[in-house]
């Protein structure tokens, strides 16, 4: 067995180092997919409940405008996070990480 495998510091350093870039891109993409789901829930549910309130005559008709605006903003943000997720980009970054 080579000496470097016996050296505890080398094994400990190798195991605790940063994950490889491919794994980091995978985790960044998963974080972006999570952000897309949260955005969809945070914007989609209030818009849907507003539409249900309008249909039940609880909310006035002018509430269509804010509900539509919230739905459009949520859709744009969800699509942006999905695009980042497929590209492996973290939700808070503009580009992929480099080594």
């Amino acid at each position: 067995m080579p000496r470097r495998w016996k050296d505890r510091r080398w094994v400990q350093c190798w195991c605790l180092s940063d994950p490889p870039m491919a794994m980091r891109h995978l985790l960044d993409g998963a974080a972006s997919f999570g952000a897309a789901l949260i955005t969809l829930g945070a914007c989609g549910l209030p818009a849907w409940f507003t539409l249900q309130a309008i249909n039940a005559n609880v909310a006035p008709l002018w509430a269509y405008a804010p509900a539509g605006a919230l739905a459009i903003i949520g859709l744009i943000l969800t699509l942006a996070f999905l695009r980042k997720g497929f590209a492996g980009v973290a939700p808070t970054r503009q580009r992929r990480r480099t080594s």
Side-chain angles (χ1 to χ4, degrees):
M1 182 178 262
R3 179 170 169 76
R4 65 179 185 198
W5 289 102
K6 292 181 182 179
D7 188 6
R8 184 170 174 79
R9 287 180 302 176
W10 185 85
V11 172
Q12 192 174 29
C13 178
W14 179 77
C15 293
L16 297 177
S17 65
D18 290 335
M21 288 308 289
M23 184 61 141
R24 187 173 292 167
H25 293 315
L26 183 71
L27 293 175
D28 286 345
S32 290
F33 284 124
L37 286 175
I38 290 171
T39 302
L40 187 62
C43 294
L45 287 177
W48 184 78
F49 279 117
T50 302
L51 292 178
Q52 295 303 314
I54 293 170
N55 290 337
N57 293 328
V58 176
L61 289 178
W62 58 262
Y64 274 119
L70 185 62
I72 290 171
I73 290 170
L75 183 66
I76 291 170
L77 285 173
T78 301
L79 291 176
F81 283 133
L82 286 175
R83 182 193 61 81
K84 284 184 167 196
F86 286 121
V89 180
T92 57
R93 294 185 174 265
Q94 293 180 357
R95 293 180 291 277
R96 287 180 91 171
R97 297 178 196 242
T98 58
S99 62

